[in-house]
Amino acid sequence: MIQEKESFYISTPIYYPSDKLHIGHTYSTVAADTIARFKKLVGYDVFFLTGTDEHGQKIEQAAQAAGKGPKEYVDKIVEGIVHLWEVMNIDYSKFIRTTDGYHVKSVQKIFRKLYEQGDIYKSNYEGWYCTPCEAYWTNTQLDDGKCPDCGRQVHMAKEEAYFFKMSNYAQRLIDHIEANPKFISPESAKNEMLNNFLLPGLEDLCVSRTSFQWGIPVDFDEKHVVYVWVDALSNYITALGYLNDEPQLMEKYWPANVQLIGKDILRFHTIYWPIMLMALGIELPKQIYGHGWILLKGGKMSKSKGNVIDPIELVDKYGTDTLRYYVLREMPFGGDGIYSEENLIARNNSDLANDLGNLLSRTTSMVDKYFGGCLPDVKHFDTPDTNLIQMATELPFIVAEYMNEYEISNALANIWKFVSRVNKYIDETEPWVLAKDENSQARLATVLYNLLESLRIIAVLISPAMPETAAKMREALHINEELMTWQSIEVFGKYPAENKVAPSGVLFARVMTEEEEKKIEKRVQKEKRKMEKAEVKSEEIVAEEVTEQYPSFKETITIEEFAKIDLRVAQIIKAEKHPNADKLLVLQVDLGNCQKQIVSGIAEFKDPNDLVGKQIVVVVNLKPAKFRGMVSEAMITAVGEDKETFAMIVPEKEVAPGEMVK
Ligand code: MSP
């Protein structure tokens, strides 16, 4: 824990409002948001900057093609970007647009200052120009005649231009990188920049353009506009008031603690940007972190390939926190990750719906059932508690260590190890068995208390990555904000005694995978074919009718008669007591392509908490009936008459819910 409020400044790149933002951009911003929220949680005074990079030829051309003025064109797209960040629950401190007046003025002052002090000079430029990247390249830099950054066609261009004497600062930058090994992270990015660009020698950088207009004019030579990267990179300081009206933010937050970027824009951020800052006499950011890319199985996402994954569509289908969790958990920080919707669904179903969601609902419903929602303030500790409490106490330190290195995926993996541990604790302590023994009430209350407290710790730890889920958990646990602070989880046992909770709602809904959907479709087709065949076969049987008598329990039926009974494997997703009948349980079951409610007279034999997650065999085409006001749409299959002999019929191994029993 830090003693005083230290400042922490984190930025994302500012996004081009040319293409629609996709899941890759979303990852960048969600990662920055998670780090910013974590730093706030542990007590820093955080400034988190994001925004849009709105100038340049590419945008000018896109606006022309759309028949709009460039500002009008970008305004509309920026609206969409702001909306996306709202949907993704991004809590930025400031959203900068490079068309904002204060930024434009500061950039003009920056350019003039660099010119007046001799870092920028006027000359002519001739070289290979890549319009989409807005970059000039020399012959040797070209990759097979194409732009080395994006691989697209370049063309020869010549213009009068201003140049920045990069070489003046190259050695200072090399020294800085060597003296500050984490300045460029990860290590691979540092080596790439040193070996490919800095050590071979830096060429002067062309920092103005005359071939188009949509940019910040050089105020002392108005036919030039400022090179878009000089304009864009400056945002990190103009947003803090550098050379404009509110320089106090600059004093408070600069130098940035971490500037998060994708690996494709490393060169701009780790060479041009620090050299610009050196020339301006400004301290360098502490760290530039180049994260990996979200790729698709076939490679990069691109508008031309038409394979861009839209985050808004995913949020509509799965929710904000499922998407946040997925990108944060699946992407190794620093390395690339492959996106697949199946993996997203699998993470949702196993980590979120099953492991975390069920843990919360099981716990709150047990507290409700056994103690009317309010645990008595009595404690009876036992062996399994020691290990659980130890793990819970160590966890915040482990998570902090990973988060301080921006290894969000590892931080989450450790939180989920604890989620599994807590689930195992329920199996070890068997609260439903304790509940039956009057002498075990203190032990039962202790077990449930430990569960509530563990859930509170989990809620705090996941709050930077999944703020909405943490808030839902806080509500379900019925605790106030003070118990959601980092300090409050450094010691186990802050969950208030005799606090009242109610059974929680569903945190994450289970989603059917495409594979499951396909399986169901396949099964339906298979069944159809079988039925057709069965008809043929039954005709054959009819032709050879058997007349002798065979022993039978009930009256013999034909295969067609048996086929009328639709037996399926169902997964129990919820189980609770019937509100008006002690003997009845009300089950919600998943049948793959639908869910059904079953009212069953098994309350004396089965604890509802033991049933959730189990697969059983049910009759699904029985005529629905009402039992004390609740409709039963199917019937379970079981043997036995009493507690000792009662057993449900279950499949031998886990199968897809809805699978037909035949
Ligand atoms: N406008 C420049 C940045 C200027 S910062 C002074 C830019 N914009 S961008 O919209 O093209 O990209 C913004 C960020 O999104 C970059 O860091 C880029 O690496 C990142 N990503 C774009 N596609 C991505 C993935 N598929 N995966 C992860 N990040 C990706 O560059």
Side-chain angles (χ1 to χ4, degrees), residues 245-273:
D245 304 339
E246 292 177 284
Q248 56 277 21
L249 284 178
M250 189 76 188
E251 276 153 36
K252 193 164 176 194
Y253 294 109
W254 193 262
N257 295 72
V258 62
Q259 302 206 269
L260 217 57
I261 55 162
K263 59 180 181 176
D264 54 316
I265 51 175
L266 271 169
R267 186 164 53 97
F268 301 98
H269 281 83
T270 61
I271 298 177
Y272 304 155
W273 175 227

PDB file of all heavy atoms in Angstrom, residues 245-273:
ATOM      1  N   ASP A 245      -3.462  26.428 -21.600  1.00  0.00           N
ATOM      2  CA  ASP A 245      -3.976  27.136 -20.427  1.00  0.00           C
ATOM      3  C   ASP A 245      -3.834  26.441 -19.080  1.00  0.00           C
ATOM      4  O   ASP A 245      -3.857  27.085 -18.053  1.00  0.00           O
ATOM      5  CB  ASP A 245      -5.477  27.443 -20.650  1.00  0.00           C
ATOM      6  CG  ASP A 245      -5.659  28.232 -21.928  1.00  0.00           C
ATOM      7  OD1 ASP A 245      -4.665  28.845 -22.352  1.00  0.00           O
ATOM      8  OD2 ASP A 245      -6.762  28.217 -22.488  1.00  0.00           O
ATOM      9  N   GLU A 246      -3.746  25.111 -19.071  1.00  0.00           N
ATOM     10  CA  GLU A 246      -3.804  24.442 -17.772  1.00  0.00           C
ATOM     11  C   GLU A 246      -2.572  23.578 -17.509  1.00  0.00           C
ATOM     12  O   GLU A 246      -2.697  22.355 -17.374  1.00  0.00           O
ATOM     13  CB  GLU A 246      -5.045  23.542 -17.712  1.00  0.00           C
ATOM     14  CG  GLU A 246      -6.332  24.297 -17.697  1.00  0.00           C
ATOM     15  CD  GLU A 246      -7.502  23.335 -17.714  1.00  0.00           C
ATOM     16  OE1 GLU A 246      -7.790  22.785 -18.787  1.00  0.00           O
ATOM     17  OE2 GLU A 246      -8.087  23.113 -16.634  1.00  0.00           O
ATOM     18  N   PRO A 247      -1.387  24.194 -17.438  1.00  0.00           N
ATOM     19  CA  PRO A 247      -0.176  23.380 -17.303  1.00  0.00           C
ATOM     20  C   PRO A 247      -0.079  22.649 -15.965  1.00  0.00           C
ATOM     21  O   PRO A 247       0.801  21.813 -15.781  1.00  0.00           O
ATOM     22  CB  PRO A 247       0.960  24.397 -17.465  1.00  0.00           C
ATOM     23  CG  PRO A 247       0.361  25.709 -17.140  1.00  0.00           C
ATOM     24  CD  PRO A 247      -1.087  25.636 -17.444  1.00  0.00           C
ATOM     25  N   GLN A 248      -1.010  22.931 -15.038  1.00  0.00           N
ATOM     26  CA  GLN A 248      -0.905  22.281 -13.723  1.00  0.00           C
ATOM     27  C   GLN A 248      -1.023  20.754 -13.796  1.00  0.00           C
ATOM     28  O   GLN A 248      -0.417  20.039 -13.001  1.00  0.00           O
ATOM     29  CB  GLN A 248      -1.867  22.870 -12.670  1.00  0.00           C
ATOM     30  CG  GLN A 248      -3.332  22.883 -13.006  1.00  0.00           C
ATOM     31  CD  GLN A 248      -3.764  24.069 -13.866  1.00  0.00           C
ATOM     32  OE1 GLN A 248      -2.966  24.712 -14.562  1.00  0.00           O
ATOM     33  NE2 GLN A 248      -5.051  24.342 -13.865  1.00  0.00           N
ATOM     34  N   LEU A 249      -1.778  20.255 -14.804  1.00  0.00           N
ATOM     35  CA  LEU A 249      -1.886  18.789 -14.939  1.00  0.00           C
ATOM     36  C   LEU A 249      -0.523  18.208 -15.315  1.00  0.00           C
ATOM     37  O   LEU A 249      -0.138  17.135 -14.879  1.00  0.00           O
ATOM     38  CB  LEU A 249      -2.910  18.426 -16.013  1.00  0.00           C
ATOM     39  CG  LEU A 249      -4.374  18.578 -15.640  1.00  0.00           C
ATOM     40  CD1 LEU A 249      -5.252  18.226 -16.833  1.00  0.00           C
ATOM     41  CD2 LEU A 249      -4.732  17.691 -14.465  1.00  0.00           C
ATOM     42  N   MET A 250       0.196  18.939 -16.127  1.00  0.00           N
ATOM     43  CA  MET A 250       1.538  18.527 -16.559  1.00  0.00           C
ATOM     44  C   MET A 250       2.442  18.388 -15.326  1.00  0.00           C
ATOM     45  O   MET A 250       3.159  17.401 -15.177  1.00  0.00           O
ATOM     46  CB  MET A 250       2.057  19.602 -17.511  1.00  0.00           C
ATOM     47  CG  MET A 250       3.314  19.268 -18.226  1.00  0.00           C
ATOM     48  SD  MET A 250       3.046  18.113 -19.565  1.00  0.00           S
ATOM     49  CE  MET A 250       4.732  17.778 -20.013  1.00  0.00           C
ATOM     50  N   GLU A 251       2.347  19.375 -14.462  1.00  0.00           N
ATOM     51  CA  GLU A 251       3.178  19.328 -13.242  1.00  0.00           C
ATOM     52  C   GLU A 251       2.814  18.129 -12.390  1.00  0.00           C
ATOM     53  O   GLU A 251       3.668  17.483 -11.798  1.00  0.00           O
ATOM     54  CB  GLU A 251       2.970  20.603 -12.407  1.00  0.00           C
ATOM     55  CG  GLU A 251       3.830  21.766 -12.879  1.00  0.00           C
ATOM     56  CD  GLU A 251       3.178  23.102 -12.536  1.00  0.00           C
ATOM     57  OE1 GLU A 251       2.545  23.212 -11.465  1.00  0.00           O
ATOM     58  OE2 GLU A 251       3.281  24.029 -13.378  1.00  0.00           O
ATOM     59  N   LYS A 252       1.536  17.847 -12.333  1.00  0.00           N
ATOM     60  CA  LYS A 252       1.075  16.784 -11.445  1.00  0.00           C
ATOM     61  C   LYS A 252       1.365  15.388 -12.001  1.00  0.00           C
ATOM     62  O   LYS A 252       1.735  14.489 -11.257  1.00  0.00           O
ATOM     63  CB  LYS A 252      -0.431  16.952 -11.262  1.00  0.00           C
ATOM     64  CG  LYS A 252      -0.995  16.132 -10.148  1.00  0.00           C
ATOM     65  CD  LYS A 252      -2.368  16.644  -9.796  1.00  0.00           C
ATOM     66  CE  LYS A 252      -3.016  15.783  -8.755  1.00  0.00           C
ATOM     67  NZ  LYS A 252      -4.438  16.060  -8.644  1.00  0.00           N
ATOM     68  N   TYR A 253       1.145  15.194 -13.287  1.00  0.00           N
ATOM     69  CA  TYR A 253       1.159  13.807 -13.791  1.00  0.00           C
ATOM     70  C   TYR A 253       2.362  13.436 -14.651  1.00  0.00           C
ATOM     71  O   TYR A 253       2.616  12.259 -14.870  1.00  0.00           O
ATOM     72  CB  TYR A 253      -0.127  13.520 -14.572  1.00  0.00           C
ATOM     73  CG  TYR A 253      -1.356  13.541 -13.690  1.00  0.00           C
ATOM     74  CD1 TYR A 253      -2.280  14.564 -13.766  1.00  0.00           C
ATOM     75  CD2 TYR A 253      -1.567  12.515 -12.759  1.00  0.00           C
ATOM     76  CE1 TYR A 253      -3.401  14.585 -12.953  1.00  0.00           C
ATOM     77  CE2 TYR A 253      -2.685  12.530 -11.946  1.00  0.00           C
ATOM     78  CZ  TYR A 253      -3.597  13.567 -12.045  1.00  0.00           C
ATOM     79  OH  TYR A 253      -4.691  13.573 -11.241  1.00  0.00           O
ATOM     80  N   TRP A 254       3.039  14.425 -15.233  1.00  0.00           N
ATOM     81  CA  TRP A 254       4.149  14.056 -16.102  1.00  0.00           C
ATOM     82  C   TRP A 254       5.393  13.790 -15.261  1.00  0.00           C
ATOM     83  O   TRP A 254       5.586  14.491 -14.280  1.00  0.00           O
ATOM     84  CB  TRP A 254       4.407  15.150 -17.159  1.00  0.00           C
ATOM     85  CG  TRP A 254       5.317  14.620 -18.215  1.00  0.00           C
ATOM     86  CD1 TRP A 254       6.674  14.804 -18.300  1.00  0.00           C
ATOM     87  CD2 TRP A 254       4.957  13.747 -19.296  1.00  0.00           C
ATOM     88  NE1 TRP A 254       7.172  14.113 -19.365  1.00  0.00           N
ATOM     89  CE2 TRP A 254       6.145  13.443 -20.004  1.00  0.00           C
ATOM     90  CE3 TRP A 254       3.754  13.179 -19.728  1.00  0.00           C
ATOM     91  CZ2 TRP A 254       6.175  12.615 -21.113  1.00  0.00           C
ATOM     92  CZ3 TRP A 254       3.783  12.359 -20.835  1.00  0.00           C
ATOM     93  CH2 TRP A 254       4.974  12.084 -21.516  1.00  0.00           C
ATOM     94  N   PRO A 255       6.272  12.846 -15.557  1.00  0.00           N
ATOM     95  CA  PRO A 255       6.266  11.963 -16.715  1.00  0.00           C
ATOM     96  C   PRO A 255       5.260  10.814 -16.580  1.00  0.00           C
ATOM     97  O   PRO A 255       4.993  10.345 -15.471  1.00  0.00           O
ATOM     98  CB  PRO A 255       7.695  11.406 -16.729  1.00  0.00           C
ATOM     99  CG  PRO A 255       8.136  11.441 -15.304  1.00  0.00           C
ATOM    100  CD  PRO A 255       7.470  12.648 -14.708  1.00  0.00           C
ATOM    101  N   ALA A 256       4.725  10.390 -17.726  1.00  0.00           N
ATOM    102  CA  ALA A 256       3.772   9.278 -17.728  1.00  0.00           C
ATOM    103  C   ALA A 256       4.438   8.042 -17.139  1.00  0.00           C
ATOM    104  O   ALA A 256       5.623   7.809 -17.360  1.00  0.00           O
ATOM    105  CB  ALA A 256       3.328   8.987 -19.156  1.00  0.00           C
ATOM    106  N   ASN A 257       3.664   7.281 -16.382  1.00  0.00           N
ATOM    107  CA  ASN A 257       4.204   6.029 -15.823  1.00  0.00           C
ATOM    108  C   ASN A 257       4.273   4.959 -16.887  1.00  0.00           C
ATOM    109  O   ASN A 257       5.244   4.226 -16.966  1.00  0.00           O
ATOM    110  CB  ASN A 257       3.322   5.558 -14.670  1.00  0.00           C
ATOM    111  CG  ASN A 257       3.376   6.546 -13.539  1.00  0.00           C
ATOM    112  OD1 ASN A 257       2.821   7.629 -13.642  1.00  0.00           O
ATOM    113  ND2 ASN A 257       4.090   6.196 -12.489  1.00  0.00           N
ATOM    114  N   VAL A 258       3.194   4.864 -17.675  1.00  0.00           N
ATOM    115  CA  VAL A 258       3.237   3.884 -18.757  1.00  0.00           C
ATOM    116  C   VAL A 258       2.393   4.370 -19.930  1.00  0.00           C
ATOM    117  O   VAL A 258       1.291   4.879 -19.754  1.00  0.00           O
ATOM    118  CB  VAL A 258       2.814   2.472 -18.283  1.00  0.00           C
ATOM    119  CG1 VAL A 258       1.381   2.442 -17.778  1.00  0.00           C
ATOM    120  CG2 VAL A 258       2.997   1.440 -19.386  1.00  0.00           C
ATOM    121  N   GLN A 259       2.965   4.241 -21.113  1.00  0.00           N
ATOM    122  CA  GLN A 259       2.227   4.548 -22.335  1.00  0.00           C
ATOM    123  C   GLN A 259       2.052   3.224 -23.059  1.00  0.00           C
ATOM    124  O   GLN A 259       3.012   2.592 -23.492  1.00  0.00           O
ATOM    125  CB  GLN A 259       3.013   5.550 -23.174  1.00  0.00           C
ATOM    126  CG  GLN A 259       3.266   6.831 -22.370  1.00  0.00           C
ATOM    127  CD  GLN A 259       3.448   8.044 -23.251  1.00  0.00           C
ATOM    128  OE1 GLN A 259       4.555   8.368 -23.631  1.00  0.00           O
ATOM    129  NE2 GLN A 259       2.346   8.703 -23.552  1.00  0.00           N
ATOM    130  N   LEU A 260       0.790   2.834 -23.103  1.00  0.00           N
ATOM    131  CA  LEU A 260       0.456   1.539 -23.681  1.00  0.00           C
ATOM    132  C   LEU A 260       0.241   1.705 -25.178  1.00  0.00           C
ATOM    133  O   LEU A 260      -0.516   2.573 -25.597  1.00  0.00           O
ATOM    134  CB  LEU A 260      -0.860   1.110 -23.039  1.00  0.00           C
ATOM    135  CG  LEU A 260      -1.056  -0.344 -22.733  1.00  0.00           C
ATOM    136  CD1 LEU A 260       0.051  -0.838 -21.838  1.00  0.00           C
ATOM    137  CD2 LEU A 260      -2.404  -0.528 -22.052  1.00  0.00           C
ATOM    138  N   ILE A 261       0.872   0.854 -25.976  1.00  0.00           N
ATOM    139  CA  ILE A 261       0.686   0.948 -27.433  1.00  0.00           C
ATOM    140  C   ILE A 261       0.725  -0.450 -28.032  1.00  0.00           C
ATOM    141  O   ILE A 261       1.225  -1.378 -27.399  1.00  0.00           O
ATOM    142  CB  ILE A 261       1.805   1.803 -28.102  1.00  0.00           C
ATOM    143  CG1 ILE A 261       3.182   1.227 -27.727  1.00  0.00           C
ATOM    144  CG2 ILE A 261       1.687   3.244 -27.731  1.00  0.00           C
ATOM    145  CD1 ILE A 261       4.286   1.687 -28.638  1.00  0.00           C
ATOM    146  N   GLY A 262       0.246  -0.568 -29.259  1.00  0.00           N
ATOM    147  CA  GLY A 262       0.396  -1.831 -29.976  1.00  0.00           C
ATOM    148  C   GLY A 262       1.785  -1.882 -30.583  1.00  0.00           C
ATOM    149  O   GLY A 262       2.397  -0.838 -30.846  1.00  0.00           O
ATOM    150  N   LYS A 263       2.251  -3.086 -30.847  1.00  0.00           N
ATOM    151  CA  LYS A 263       3.645  -3.209 -31.284  1.00  0.00           C
ATOM    152  C   LYS A 263       3.912  -2.577 -32.656  1.00  0.00           C
ATOM    153  O   LYS A 263       5.049  -2.276 -32.982  1.00  0.00           O
ATOM    154  CB  LYS A 263       4.065  -4.679 -31.274  1.00  0.00           C
ATOM    155  CG  LYS A 263       3.213  -5.533 -32.175  1.00  0.00           C
ATOM    156  CD  LYS A 263       3.663  -6.963 -32.130  1.00  0.00           C
ATOM    157  CE  LYS A 263       2.772  -7.766 -33.072  1.00  0.00           C
ATOM    158  NZ  LYS A 263       3.169  -9.142 -33.197  1.00  0.00           N
ATOM    159  N   ASP A 264       2.844  -2.343 -33.441  1.00  0.00           N
ATOM    160  CA  ASP A 264       3.035  -1.747 -34.765  1.00  0.00           C
ATOM    161  C   ASP A 264       3.448  -0.285 -34.707  1.00  0.00           C
ATOM    162  O   ASP A 264       3.925   0.259 -35.697  1.00  0.00           O
ATOM    163  CB  ASP A 264       1.735  -1.880 -35.580  1.00  0.00           C
ATOM    164  CG  ASP A 264       0.540  -1.309 -34.837  1.00  0.00           C
ATOM    165  OD1 ASP A 264       0.415  -1.572 -33.619  1.00  0.00           O
ATOM    166  OD2 ASP A 264      -0.271  -0.604 -35.458  1.00  0.00           O
ATOM    167  N   ILE A 265       3.235   0.364 -33.570  1.00  0.00           N
ATOM    168  CA  ILE A 265       3.583   1.797 -33.522  1.00  0.00           C
ATOM    169  C   ILE A 265       4.713   2.052 -32.519  1.00  0.00           C
ATOM    170  O   ILE A 265       4.837   3.140 -31.977  1.00  0.00           O
ATOM    171  CB  ILE A 265       2.331   2.673 -33.237  1.00  0.00           C
ATOM    172  CG1 ILE A 265       1.548   2.175 -32.018  1.00  0.00           C
ATOM    173  CG2 ILE A 265       1.422   2.690 -34.446  1.00  0.00           C
ATOM    174  CD1 ILE A 265       0.372   3.084 -31.648  1.00  0.00           C
ATOM    175  N   LEU A 266       5.534   1.025 -32.357  1.00  0.00           N
ATOM    176  CA  LEU A 266       6.680   1.140 -31.447  1.00  0.00           C
ATOM    177  C   LEU A 266       7.673   2.201 -31.907  1.00  0.00           C
ATOM    178  O   LEU A 266       8.175   2.976 -31.105  1.00  0.00           O
ATOM    179  CB  LEU A 266       7.421  -0.208 -31.396  1.00  0.00           C
ATOM    180  CG  LEU A 266       6.952  -1.215 -30.357  1.00  0.00           C
ATOM    181  CD1 LEU A 266       7.601  -2.562 -30.628  1.00  0.00           C
ATOM    182  CD2 LEU A 266       7.296  -0.737 -28.954  1.00  0.00           C
ATOM    183  N   ARG A 267       8.000   2.183 -33.200  1.00  0.00           N
ATOM    184  CA  ARG A 267       9.040   3.078 -33.699  1.00  0.00           C
ATOM    185  C   ARG A 267       8.688   4.544 -33.408  1.00  0.00           C
ATOM    186  O   ARG A 267       9.521   5.336 -32.988  1.00  0.00           O
ATOM    187  CB  ARG A 267       9.201   2.874 -35.217  1.00  0.00           C
ATOM    188  CG  ARG A 267      10.336   3.632 -35.835  1.00  0.00           C
ATOM    189  CD  ARG A 267      10.639   3.069 -37.216  1.00  0.00           C
ATOM    190  NE  ARG A 267       9.440   3.031 -38.053  1.00  0.00           N
ATOM    191  CZ  ARG A 267       9.131   3.969 -38.942  1.00  0.00           C
ATOM    192  NH1 ARG A 267       9.913   5.013 -39.113  1.00  0.00           N
ATOM    193  NH2 ARG A 267       8.042   3.864 -39.676  1.00  0.00           N
ATOM    194  N   PHE A 268       7.415   4.897 -33.620  1.00  0.00           N
ATOM    195  CA  PHE A 268       7.008   6.282 -33.378  1.00  0.00           C
ATOM    196  C   PHE A 268       7.121   6.644 -31.900  1.00  0.00           C
ATOM    197  O   PHE A 268       7.499   7.738 -31.537  1.00  0.00           O
ATOM    198  CB  PHE A 268       5.565   6.493 -33.865  1.00  0.00           C
ATOM    199  CG  PHE A 268       5.410   6.196 -35.330  1.00  0.00           C
ATOM    200  CD1 PHE A 268       4.921   4.975 -35.773  1.00  0.00           C
ATOM    201  CD2 PHE A 268       5.790   7.146 -36.267  1.00  0.00           C
ATOM    202  CE1 PHE A 268       4.796   4.707 -37.126  1.00  0.00           C
ATOM    203  CE2 PHE A 268       5.667   6.882 -37.630  1.00  0.00           C
ATOM    204  CZ  PHE A 268       5.174   5.652 -38.058  1.00  0.00           C
ATOM    205  N   HIS A 269       6.752   5.670 -31.054  1.00  0.00           N
ATOM    206  CA  HIS A 269       6.701   5.970 -29.614  1.00  0.00           C
ATOM    207  C   HIS A 269       8.036   5.818 -28.899  1.00  0.00           C
ATOM    208  O   HIS A 269       8.221   6.391 -27.827  1.00  0.00           O
ATOM    209  CB  HIS A 269       5.661   5.061 -28.937  1.00  0.00           C
ATOM    210  CG  HIS A 269       4.268   5.543 -29.144  1.00  0.00           C
ATOM    211  ND1 HIS A 269       3.564   5.263 -30.291  1.00  0.00           N
ATOM    212  CD2 HIS A 269       3.450   6.305 -28.377  1.00  0.00           C
ATOM    213  CE1 HIS A 269       2.369   5.824 -30.211  1.00  0.00           C
ATOM    214  NE2 HIS A 269       2.275   6.464 -29.054  1.00  0.00           N
ATOM    215  N   THR A 270       8.917   4.984 -29.444  1.00  0.00           N
ATOM    216  CA  THR A 270      10.157   4.744 -28.689  1.00  0.00           C
ATOM    217  C   THR A 270      11.349   5.445 -29.323  1.00  0.00           C
ATOM    218  O   THR A 270      12.429   5.468 -28.763  1.00  0.00           O
ATOM    219  CB  THR A 270      10.463   3.234 -28.603  1.00  0.00           C
ATOM    220  OG1 THR A 270      10.621   2.741 -29.932  1.00  0.00           O
ATOM    221  CG2 THR A 270       9.378   2.483 -27.882  1.00  0.00           C
ATOM    222  N   ILE A 271      11.145   6.056 -30.504  1.00  0.00           N
ATOM    223  CA  ILE A 271      12.252   6.805 -31.117  1.00  0.00           C
ATOM    224  C   ILE A 271      11.843   8.275 -31.328  1.00  0.00           C
ATOM    225  O   ILE A 271      12.397   9.167 -30.704  1.00  0.00           O
ATOM    226  CB  ILE A 271      12.714   6.133 -32.425  1.00  0.00           C
ATOM    227  CG1 ILE A 271      13.230   4.721 -32.077  1.00  0.00           C
ATOM    228  CG2 ILE A 271      13.807   6.968 -33.102  1.00  0.00           C
ATOM    229  CD1 ILE A 271      13.652   3.881 -33.231  1.00  0.00           C
ATOM    230  N   TYR A 272      10.840   8.507 -32.180  1.00  0.00           N
ATOM    231  CA  TYR A 272      10.487   9.902 -32.479  1.00  0.00           C
ATOM    232  C   TYR A 272       9.982  10.639 -31.235  1.00  0.00           C
ATOM    233  O   TYR A 272      10.336  11.780 -30.990  1.00  0.00           O
ATOM    234  CB  TYR A 272       9.417   9.981 -33.584  1.00  0.00           C
ATOM    235  CG  TYR A 272       9.820   9.280 -34.859  1.00  0.00           C
ATOM    236  CD1 TYR A 272       8.872   8.794 -35.748  1.00  0.00           C
ATOM    237  CD2 TYR A 272      11.170   9.111 -35.189  1.00  0.00           C
ATOM    238  CE1 TYR A 272       9.232   8.160 -36.914  1.00  0.00           C
ATOM    239  CE2 TYR A 272      11.545   8.461 -36.358  1.00  0.00           C
ATOM    240  CZ  TYR A 272      10.574   7.978 -37.206  1.00  0.00           C
ATOM    241  OH  TYR A 272      10.936   7.336 -38.356  1.00  0.00           O
ATOM    242  N   TRP A 273       9.123   9.948 -30.498  1.00  0.00           N
ATOM    243  CA  TRP A 273       8.505  10.603 -29.329  1.00  0.00           C
ATOM    244  C   TRP A 273       9.540  10.977 -28.265  1.00  0.00           C
ATOM    245  O   TRP A 273       9.617  12.152 -27.871  1.00  0.00           O
ATOM    246  CB  TRP A 273       7.391   9.703 -28.804  1.00  0.00           C
ATOM    247  CG  TRP A 273       6.686  10.101 -27.544  1.00  0.00           C
ATOM    248  CD1 TRP A 273       6.404   9.294 -26.486  1.00  0.00           C
ATOM    249  CD2 TRP A 273       6.123  11.379 -27.208  1.00  0.00           C
ATOM    250  NE1 TRP A 273       5.715   9.976 -25.526  1.00  0.00           N
ATOM    251  CE2 TRP A 273       5.530  11.276 -25.940  1.00  0.00           C
ATOM    252  CE3 TRP A 273       6.085  12.619 -27.858  1.00  0.00           C
ATOM    253  CZ2 TRP A 273       4.905  12.338 -25.302  1.00  0.00           C
ATOM    254  CZ3 TRP A 273       5.462  13.693 -27.214  1.00  0.00           C
ATOM    255  CH2 TRP A 273       4.885  13.548 -25.963  1.00  0.00           C
TER     256      TRP A 273
END
